Every structure is written in C-alpha cells, then in structure tokens.
Amino acid sequence: MADIRCPMCSKPNPEDAEVCQYCQARLKPLVVSSASGPGGSIPPKKPPVSPAKAEHDSALPDWLDRIRSEDENVTEPEEAEAGSAFQPEEAIYGDDKPQPVGKAESSDLPDWLASLGASGTITEPPSEEEKKPAELPAEKNEDEPDWLERIRARQETEGNEPPLGVFITDIPSEPVSSENTHLPNWISSLPEQESAPPPFHEETPVQSTEQPDWLSRLDTGPSPEPGVQPFSNEPEMPDWLSRLSGQEAGGLPEPTQVEPLDARSYQQQPGEEIPDWLSKLESSSAEKDQLPALPALILNDETEDHDILKTEAPAAEGTPDLNALPDWIFNVTAEEPSAGGPSSAEAESEAGLEPAQLPSWLEAMRPIEAAAPLVSSQEDLSAAVEKGGPLAGLRGVLPIDPNISRLRKPSAYSIKLQVPEDQQALVKRLEDLIATEADARSQPRKQSISSQSLLRMFVAIVLFLGILAPMLYDRMYTDQKLLELPGVERITKDISDTNFSLGTLPVGAPVLLAFDYQPGVSAEIEAASAAILDQLISRAAFLTMVSTKPTGPVLGERVLQGINSKRASPYTNYTNLGFIPGGESGLIGFAERPRQVMPYNLKSQEAWSSGPPAGIHKISDFSLVLVFTENSETARSWIEQVQPFLAAQKRPLIMVVSAQVEPLIRPYYEANPKQVNGMVAGLAGGAAYESLTGHPSVARDYWDAFGGGMMAASILILAGMLIYGGIGLFSPVKRAEGEAAK
Amino acid sequence: MRSLRVLLVQWAIILAAFALIVGILNLANVHLTRIRERQVNSGYSLILLVSLVLTITIVGYFRPNGTWSLWIFNNIQVPIESSLVALLAVLLLLAAIQLLRRRLNLFSVILLVTALVALFTTTPLFFLGELPGVNSIHQLLSQVLAVAGARGILLGVALGTILTGVRVLIGADRPYSG
C-alpha cells in the first residue's frame, strides 16, 4: 500500500492523513476534481511503456529499478489527482521523454540520505542520465564511497546543515500543480498575488504565517561556518526584494537563512578511487569553470514560463539530486562569479593552439578592433551591475548601450587598401589614361599647302575660267553669243506641251504660281521660268502666287521684281497670298477651299474680294497651275494632292523644275493619263523654251557661261580619270592592293 | 464626312502654323542659352539672334514685299544659299576627279563615263557645236535610263508607304505612342 508523499517535505504519510504529520501541510486537496471521482481514488492509468524505455529500464541496476517502481507507485496517484486539466507527461512529450522519478520512500532510504532529506533540502528529481549517479548511494548504503560517508558524518556532527539545493533552485521535487489543493495550508493561505512564482526563486524568501516544522528546524539549525560562504544574497539584495520583504514582514516570517554544505573542506584522500560518473561531472564542471561566471539567479530564466513548469515534471528540469552530489560541485556553484576573465585552463588551451594563417587579403579586410579588441569583457561585466529597479544588484542582465559605454574616441580605420604591385600598376595605368583623356590631344601639324588644297584651288580656278571666259569673249570680241540656243531637235515634247498649255490660255485668265524652291537654286529656276513668265505676262494673266515654303512668297516678289525691271511699266496684275503652312495638309486644304485657307495677301488685303480672284472658289477655278520647285517631294505633293482637283476640270499642271528633279518628275509626265501636263527642266530646258518661243531671256544670258562651266568640269573629270586611272592600273603597289582586295 | 475632313485639315494647318512659331522661339531660346552660358562659339549665336530680330523687325514693319525686305533677301539670303549650292558643285567635281584614286573599279568608271556624256551632251561644245548623235545619247540618258531608275525609286517609295501604313494599322508600328 502506497503512502501519500507530502508535496512540501516529501515525506511519506499514511493514506488517510489529511495533513502532513511532519510539516502539517495539507495532503489532500480541498476541491477534488471531477475526474478523480467521489472517492478520489481513481486508479491511475499506467502509461504505456515504449520499447526503448523498456530496454532502457532493463539496463538499469536492480536497486535503481526498484526505486523507480516504487516512485511510480507514489507519483502516479498524484498525477491522477491533478485532474483532467493536466495531461500526462507522455501526452506532451511522448515516450522518449524520461519518466519523472521521484524519491524513494524514506523507509527505504539510507540514513544518511534521509538525514539530508530531513534537513529541508528541496530538490528536483534528476533526469534519467543524472539520476543514476545520484541514487547510487541511496540504494547501497554500505557500498557508498568513503567521501560520501565523510560528508554525512560531517553533517551529523554539525547538526542539520543547510539544505544543499536551496541555492540551486527551490522548485519542488514533486510535480507542481496549478491548483492550490496540492499546496500546504500555509501556502494556500497566502494571497493570490503571492502564490505566483516570484521572478527569482533563490532570493525570494519563503514566508508563511504557518511555518512548518521542517522549516522551523531549518531556522534552528546551526549558523554557517565562518569559512563557508553563505548562499544568501543578503548583502546584495536588490531594492525591490527589500521592499517586498518589508511589505510582507508583518505576516510572514523572516527568510530562512540557509547555508550550503561545506563541501570544500573535503579533501580527496590518496588512493581514493573516484567513480566514473564523478569524473564526468568533474570534467563538465571544469568546463563550466572556464566559462564566464554567470549570476546565480540565471536559472530563473528557465522558469519564466510558469505554466510549463506547473505541468512539467520536476525531472524535466534536469536538476540533479543534490544529496548525491559531491562537494566540489557545491564549491563551483557557491562561488562568487569570477572576474570574468579567461580561466587558467582556457588560457592553457588557447596557448596550445597555433595561430591561424590568414591570407593577406583576409587580413586586409579584417577590422582592427576585431583583430585586437581594446575593451575586454571583464570591463564590460564589471560595469554592468544594475543599480535600481527590479534588476538591481544583478550583473550582466542588460546589454550596455554602446553609445554610452564607449566614451573613448572611435578608432580610426585604415582606408588604404593593401593592393599588390601588379594591381597598383594597373590602377596607375588607368589613372594615366583618365588623366590624358581630359587633355587636349595635340593635332598633327598640318602642312600649309597640301596636295589636296592645291587640287581644290586648281579645280576652282579652272571652273571660274570656264564660266567667265565665254562671257568675256562675247563682250570683248564678238558681241555675239558663242553658243547657239538649243535647236529644234533639242526641244522635247514636254517643252512643247508647256508652250501649248500657256499658248491656249485666255487673256486675263487666273493662273496660280507656286514658288516652292530654295533661294540657293533661284538662279536655275528663274532662268528656266523666265520665258514662261514673260509669256504669261504677255497674255495678261492674273497671277496668284503661293508657296509651301516660308521663303517662297519673297521669291515670287523677287521674280516679279526682276520682270518689272525690264518692263517700262510694272506688272501689277497679280496677288501674293504668301505662305501656306501645314505642308501637304495645308496644300490639300488650299486645293479644296482656297478662300478659307489663304484669305489675305501679303499686303493684308482681302485676296478674293475683287478682280479675277473674286470668281475663284476652288483651285480648279484657276486656268493653269504652274509649280516652280527643285524638290522632288514638293513636286510629288502638288501632283498627288492638287492634281486630282485639276484633272476633274481638265486644268493643266505645269512643272518648272531643276535638272536634278527631272528624272523623278518625268514619270508623272509620261504617265497615261498625264499627271503633269508640261515640264521645263533646268537651264537647258529654259534655253530650249526660249528658243521655242523666240524670246531670248535669262536662259540665253546664262547659256554661254553654263556651257563654259560644263566644258571645264568635263575636262577636269576626264583628266582625273586618265591620271588616277593610269596610276592605278600601272602602279605595282596599287595593283597588289587591288589583288589583295579581291 | 467631307466637311469633317476639311475641318480637321484646317486644324492641322493652324497647328502647323503655331509649330513654326514655336520652332522659331525654340531656336531663339537655344541660342540665348548658349550666349548666357558663354559656350564655345556663342558669337555665332549672337549673330543669329541679331539677324533674327532685325529681319522680323524690318519685314514686319515694311511687309514681306517691301523694299528693304527684298533687299535683305536679294543681297544676303540668296547669295549665301547660292554660294552653298555652287560649293556643292565644286565638291562634286573634285570627288569625281579623285574617284579613281580612291576606288578604281568598273562601277567607278561607269559612273564617270556617264557623267562625262551627260555634261558633254547637255550643252553644245565650244567651237564645235552640236556633235552628231549627241542629242540621241542625251535623250537616252535623261529620258530612258534616268527615268527608269527614278520609276524604280518611286515604286519603292509607294510600296514602302503602303507597308508603313499597314504596319501602323495592325499595330506593328506605333510611331506616336513612344
């Protein structure tokens, strides 16, 4: 029959006991959960044992297996009493998690262990791995090592030593329940606020109005030895803890002053054999010594999640049974935090390491502070003691603000890269290239007189002579023209068609003149159109001038001015409408509605109000449209946009163009039906037209000079062909280059 | 639809007229900037602006067919542009002379021979008059061969225009959408 273990003192009590016969804590909850049934004696459901666990259990020694079986008998009813609010541990962690192992019954414990347990030690059941060494002495009292016996003897001689585990943790050995029914009366009587776990269990005094016996025994225990450093952090108690103590001073007893076991006094005897598990612990402890000292309360960080703690088994915390720990562990844990510097073992281990061979590029990239830190961690830790607030007295819990802590001048980083020589050479070459790029490159000195310039001057002189010589010869010697105008055989059909269209115009007929050429070719166009304009004026045609180029209207005025200069009375039967903007759009707009597009002339007068223009409403009302242009695109625009309106009324469209445009316009003239009814091309066409009409004009004046220039140009080209062609044909170098090119 | 087309055409004409004005103002602004920033050869910009202002002032005051307006045109603009065309003639002649020096091949020879024939047949030769058969050669060059080439060019232009229009219609080209 299993007894009920006291949740506070962990001592067995009879099953029917309401309170602990040792500490007077309530053993049965005041409110029994529904899951426990009326009697609260629902047989605990034994969790299934996994094969791994079974195998593990089989490997345990007999004494440990017996302890575990007894412990399970004790803990399982308690878990069942926890009600449905708590799931069994297997449901949370699975079967892999080691089962919590409670303590063996006190009757089965050896005397030395029972005495330790009676001293008020509150420990957590160790984990599976840690439990093995911890329970060895509990099983075999006779086989326990000598050092443990000496510890017990020392404890017996010194009375009830302070609990060993208080300064480690105060987590109860039994699973913590969220309900107060598991707590003793003196804890249950505490206010609700105080029932919550304090932030730091080690330093929070356990206060109760009803102090249990076991706690009273602790109070009456002997004072700690002078040489033993007490665990209590009384001198370093933070303010918040002091205030808390002061508030509860009235109802709660003074915190128990516990004293750790003076384990440091133990000296290993020569020839004494240290068990393996102790060696492992010692080695792990040595590793801990090498680490920077941490505050003693750091373990409480693990208990922040109180809900988890309440549901977890104590063994999950992994706190070993301190009754079974050797004394050197206490020395480690009871020591004040070291200075934080590296321990001797760490220094030795570092001294044995060879420095790493870093490549040069990596050393160049490494920050200076990273290579040689200027501020040691010791300084940081010493300056990290909190002075106020809930963290007062704690060290290293808050990071130091780097902006505040680093008051020194920031170290200067070297910005100079360690560049190899070959790369420096490349950089220098690039810099030279960039520097020379901005400099003005000196141009090679040109020869004052080169062969090309001589050739250009020679060509110009020959052309001038070819143009001026016939003019001078005519004036000086013959007073006659050297060259005859083109004969009848030179007069082509386009010229004769033009003459026919002009000759059939009625007197005073409205004629539209489009001056769409550039001033640069005005000499050629004016020479070609002079005879035509003379013929129109002779027939008293009303001339309406327009242009799709900004300079066109002035060119028209220039042409009329030239004609009037040869006449006794100026010809005024014309109007100049000016510039038609919009290119082809303006042209088609003018063809459809000339009055709307060009309502005024250059004199800002109504162009269509009086005279012959009064009867013109569309472009086909003109008797003839005459276009002067040197641009094939402009000629095409007139042909494509305006000629359809003229063709509907069978109005002729005559083109006076330069010689270079003739091949592009002639297809429109030779089309069937004709899109251009007549054409005069270039100075030669004008000369032919003058020859046809029998009225010499400007073309006749230009004809001799034109012929002279053409003759000179022909001779120069022929000379160039002979010279350079002969050099190219008979030069071996040129021949080799030509063959290579092929 | 015809009235709508005429309306749209009139709008286009107005826009084109304003575009010309905007172009003139932009030209003046560009050269004003060059003068203000004292850029290289900003003196030419100054000459341009002065000429622009003077021409606008004189033509606007005396009208385009006024005496001073025609004087500016006949004595400044026409000679300058005619000189440029004459310079083009000289450069073309120089290039023709040196053509065989640069590139001596059959096509260069054909080009030069054709140019010589056209020059010789355009005008009668001094002291020789019309050579027999020259006129027929001239007409063969100017009215057959040249027109054949010109028609090929015009047909190519027409086909290109149609293709461009089709590409714009089907969305292959978006010349105005960027």
Side-chain angles (χ1 to χ4, degrees):
Chain A
M1 180 176 180
D3 296 337
I4 297 176
R5 185 181 296 276
C6 177
M8 298 304 298
C9 62
S10 301
K11 291 181 179 179
N13 291 279
E15 186 179 8
D16 54 349
E18 292 291 336
V19 296
C20 179
Q21 58 186 358
Y22 299 98
C23 62
Q24 302 302 320
R26 177 171 290 278
L27 299 178
K28 291 183 180 179
L30 296 176
V31 179
V32 180
S33 62
S34 59
S36 62
S41 61
I42 296 176
K45 186 176 181 180
K46 197 166 187 178
V49 180
S50 62
K53 181 181 178 183
E55 182 181 358
H56 180 70
D57 292 339
S58 62
L60 296 175
D62 296 336
W63 61 271
L64 182 58
D65 196 9
R66 188 170 60 254
I67 292 174
R68 291 189 57 181
S69 61
E70 293 174 358
D71 184 74
E72 289 175 358
N73 293 333
V74 174
T75 55
E76 285 174 0
E78 295 176 359
E79 292 177 357
E81 292 174 1
S84 59
F86 300 96
Q87 297 178 355
E89 204 168 21
E90 291 79 5
I92 300 174
Y93 300 103
D95 294 335
D96 295 337
K97 184 174 178 64
Q99 295 295 323
V101 178
K103 294 180 180 298
E105 294 184 5
S106 62
S107 58
D108 297 334
L109 293 176
D111 297 336
W112 64 273
L113 187 58
S115 61
L116 289 177
S119 62
T121 303
I122 302 174
T123 60
E124 293 182 8
S127 61
E128 193 72 21
E129 293 77 12
E130 296 169 343
K131 188 183 67 176
K132 291 180 181 179
E135 294 184 352
L136 277 174
E139 170 62 18
K140 294 181 180 181
N141 193 9
E142 297 176 0
D143 297 335
E144 62 182 323
D146 298 335
W147 59 272
L148 196 56
E149 291 181 0
R150 284 195 297 273
I151 292 173
R152 189 179 57 172
R154 185 182 183 88
Q155 289 175 348
E156 290 175 358
T157 55
E158 294 177 358
N160 293 330
E161 290 292 331
L164 299 178
V166 173
F167 64 96
I168 299 297
T169 177
D170 60 355
I171 298 174
S173 59
E174 295 297 329
V176 180
S177 173
S178 61
E179 300 180 3
N180 293 333
T181 55
H182 295 269
L183 300 176
N185 294 334
W186 62 275
I187 295 179
S188 302
S189 61
L190 291 175
E192 186 68 19
Q193 183 179 1
E194 297 176 354
S195 62
F200 303 103
H201 293 255
E202 283 82 357
E203 295 183 359
T204 302
V206 179
Q207 297 175 351
S208 174
T209 55
E210 298 178 5
Q211 188 173 7
D213 297 336
W214 59 272
L215 192 57
S216 303
R217 285 196 297 273
L218 288 176
D219 292 338
T220 56
S223 59
E225 294 183 7
V228 178
Q229 182 180 0
F231 167 72
S232 174
N233 293 328
E234 190 70 17
E236 297 179 0
M237 181 179 295
D239 299 335
W240 62 273
L241 191 56
S242 303
R243 289 195 297 271
L244 184 62
S245 301
Q247 292 173 358
E248 298 177 357
L252 296 176
E254 290 296 324
T256 302
Q257 189 76 17
V258 294
E259 187 72 18
L261 180 64
D262 187 11
R264 288 178 296 181
S265 60
Y266 169 74
Q267 297 293 333
Q268 184 177 356
Q269 299 301 325
E272 187 176 290
E273 183 179 359
I274 299 175
D276 296 337
W277 62 271
L278 184 57
S279 302
K280 294 178 181 178
L281 287 176
E282 191 170 8
S283 62
S284 62
S285 177
E287 293 177 359
K288 290 181 179 180
D289 292 340
Q290 297 175 2
L291 297 176
L294 297 176
L297 297 175
I298 200 66
L299 282 177
N300 279 342
D301 294 339
E302 300 176 359
T303 61
E304 290 178 359
D305 194 349
H306 303 291
D307 297 334
I308 296 176
L309 278 179
K310 290 173 182 177
T311 56
E312 283 182 344
E317 296 297 327
T319 304
D321 190 354
L322 297 177
N323 293 335
L325 293 179
D327 53 352
W328 60 268
I329 295 179
F330 306 141
N331 295 334
V332 172
T333 55
E335 284 179 356
E336 283 294 331
S338 62
S343 62
S344 59
E346 183 179 1
E348 292 176 1
S349 61
E350 291 181 354
L353 295 176
E354 294 182 357
Q357 298 295 329
L358 296 179
S360 59
W361 61 270
L362 184 58
E363 288 186 352
M365 294 173 60
R366 186 175 56 176
I368 296 176
E369 284 194 357
L374 299 177
V375 181
S376 63
S377 58
Q378 169 64 25
E379 296 175 0
D380 295 338
L381 289 175
S382 61
V385 177
E386 298 298 328
K387 301 298 183 183
L391 300 178
L394 301 181
R395 175 181 297 156
V397 294
L398 291 178
I400 302 174
D401 190 353
N403 296 329
I404 299 175
S405 60
R406 293 188 176 184
L407 299 178
R408 59 180 174 78
K409 184 178 180 181
S411 59
Y413 292 96
S414 175
I415 59 174
K416 184 177 181 180
L417 292 177
Q418 297 178 359
V419 183
E421 292 182 356
D422 54 347
Q423 294 184 1
Q424 289 181 358
L426 292 176
V427 170
K428 187 176 185 304
R429 187 179 303 174
L430 179 60
E431 290 176 352
D432 294 341
L433 285 175
I434 295 174
T436 55
E437 190 70 20
D439 297 339
R441 185 174 298 174
S442 60
Q443 296 292 336
R445 184 178 181 182
K446 292 183 178 179
Q447 297 179 354
S448 58
I449 300 176
S450 63
S451 59
Q452 288 295 318
S453 60
L454 286 175
L455 180 61
R456 282 196 291 268
M457 292 174 63
F458 175 74
V459 168
I461 292 172
V462 170
L463 276 179
F464 275 118
L465 291 176
I467 293 171
L468 293 177
M471 297 172 63
L472 297 176
Y473 184 80
D474 292 345
R475 298 285 179 88
M476 294 173 64
Y477 297 101
T478 61
D479 199 16
Q480 294 179 354
K481 302 298 180 185
L482 287 177
L483 298 177
E484 296 293 334
L485 289 175
V488 179
E489 69 278 3
R490 285 276 193 173
I491 299 173
T492 56
K493 192 173 184 300
D494 53 345
I495 296 174
S496 59
D497 288 344
T498 303
N499 187 30
F500 176 76
S501 298
L502 292 174
T504 56
L505 278 177
V507 177
V511 176
L512 179 65
L513 303 179
F515 291 88
D516 280 345
Y517 57 92
Q518 295 293 334
V521 295
S522 59
E524 183 183 11
I525 299 297
E526 288 174 1
S529 62
I532 296 174
L533 291 176
D534 288 342
Q535 190 175 4
L536 289 175
I537 291 173
S538 64
R539 301 189 71 85
F542 183 81
L543 304 180
T544 302
M545 296 184 288
V546 294
S547 177
T548 59
K549 298 182 185 303
T551 56
V554 185
L555 285 171
E557 291 291 336
R558 170 188 161 89
V559 169
L560 263 296
Q561 192 182 39
I563 292 173
N564 289 333
S565 63
K566 297 178 182 177
R567 292 172 59 90
S569 60
Y571 189 77
T572 59
N573 194 17
Y574 73 96
T575 181
N576 194 342
L577 299 180
F579 167 63
I580 302 174
E584 292 186 351
S585 300
L587 198 56
I588 193 173
F590 178 77
E592 288 183 332
R593 297 186 179 184
R595 287 174 176 263
Q596 284 76 16
V597 174
M598 304 296 292
Y600 304 103
N601 57 16
L602 288 182
K603 297 178 182 178
S604 301
Q605 298 172 350
E606 291 285 343
W608 314 94
S609 59
S610 60
I616 296 174
H617 299 277
K618 53 185 180 298
I619 197 170
S620 60
D621 292 336
F622 288 102
S623 299
L624 177 69
V625 175
L626 195 59
V627 178
F628 307 96
T629 182
E630 94 292 356
N631 193 333
S632 60
E633 295 298 325
T634 305
R636 286 179 55 222
S637 298
W638 278 95
I639 294 169
E640 294 173 357
Q641 305 298 331
V642 177
Q643 193 273 336
F645 295 96
L646 299 175
Q649 302 295 328
K650 295 184 178 180
R651 301 298 184 185
L653 174 64
I654 306 297
M655 289 283 179
V656 179
V657 296
S658 63
Q660 63 180 356
V661 183
E662 180 189 1
L664 293 174
I665 305 301
R666 185 166 291 277
Y668 295 103
Y669 168 74
E670 294 180 351
N672 188 16
K674 294 181 182 298
Q675 292 180 288
V676 175
N677 300 102
M679 184 173 62
V680 175
L683 182 59
Y689 194 85
E690 290 180 1
S691 175
L692 178 62
T693 58
H695 296 284
S697 184
V698 179
R700 172 67 265 185
D701 298 336
Y702 293 170
W703 189 245
D704 288 346
F706 179 70
M710 298 294 275
M711 179 64 75
S714 302
I715 293 171
L716 288 174
I717 292 174
L718 184 59
M721 286 179 61
L722 295 176
I723 295 171
Y724 291 114
I727 293 173
L729 289 176
F730 298 104
S731 173
V733 178
K734 293 288 184 179
R735 191 186 307 162
E737 291 179 354
E739 292 176 355
K742 293 178 181 178
Chain B
M1 291 299 292
R2 184 175 181 274
S3 59
L4 178 62
R5 180 170 61 89
V6 171
L7 178 64
L8 294 177
V9 167
Q10 289 179 351
W11 287 0
I13 294 170
I14 295 171
L15 286 176
F18 276 99
L20 179 63
I21 297 173
V22 170
I24 294 173
L25 294 177
N26 184 45
L27 176 69
N29 185 31
V30 168
H31 288 276
L32 270 176
T33 304
R34 294 183 63 180
I35 294 172
R36 192 182 305 114
E37 297 177 355
R38 300 181 182 277
Q39 296 181 4
V40 181
N41 297 328
S42 58
Y44 298 114
S45 300
L46 180 62
I47 294 174
L48 186 141
L49 289 178
V50 171
S51 303
L52 177 65
V53 172
L54 284 177
T55 304
I56 290 176
T57 304
I58 293 173
V59 173
Y61 183 77
F62 295 101
R63 300 292 177 179
N65 53 356
T67 304
W68 287 105
S69 300
L70 289 176
W71 185 91
I72 292 174
F73 185 79
N74 293 329
N75 296 281
I76 296 176
Q77 188 167 2
V78 172
I80 289 174
E81 295 196 18
S82 298
S83 300
L84 290 175
V85 175
L87 186 61
L88 176 63
V90 174
L91 292 177
L92 285 175
L93 177 61
L94 190 63
I97 293 170
Q98 294 182 322
L99 179 61
L100 295 184
R101 180 187 177 187
R102 305 283 183 182
R103 184 174 295 175
L104 180 57
N105 53 26
L106 179 61
F107 292 101
S108 300
V109 174
I110 291 175
L111 177 62
L112 291 177
V113 170
T114 305
L116 281 176
V117 171
L119 291 175
F120 277 121
T121 58
T122 299
T123 59
L125 298 177
F126 284 105
F127 312 109
L128 296 178
E130 293 284 347
L131 296 178
V134 171
N135 187 35
S136 60
I137 296 173
H138 176 76
Q139 290 187 353
L140 175 66
L141 289 175
S142 63
Q143 298 182 12
V144 177
L145 299 179
V147 170
R151 285 193 176 184
I153 294 173
L154 292 175
L155 288 174
V157 170
L159 293 175
T161 304
I162 294 172
L163 183 61
T164 302
V166 170
R167 288 174 63 86
V168 171
L169 289 176
I170 66 176
D173 285 344
R174 297 174 182 175
Y176 302 107
S177 60

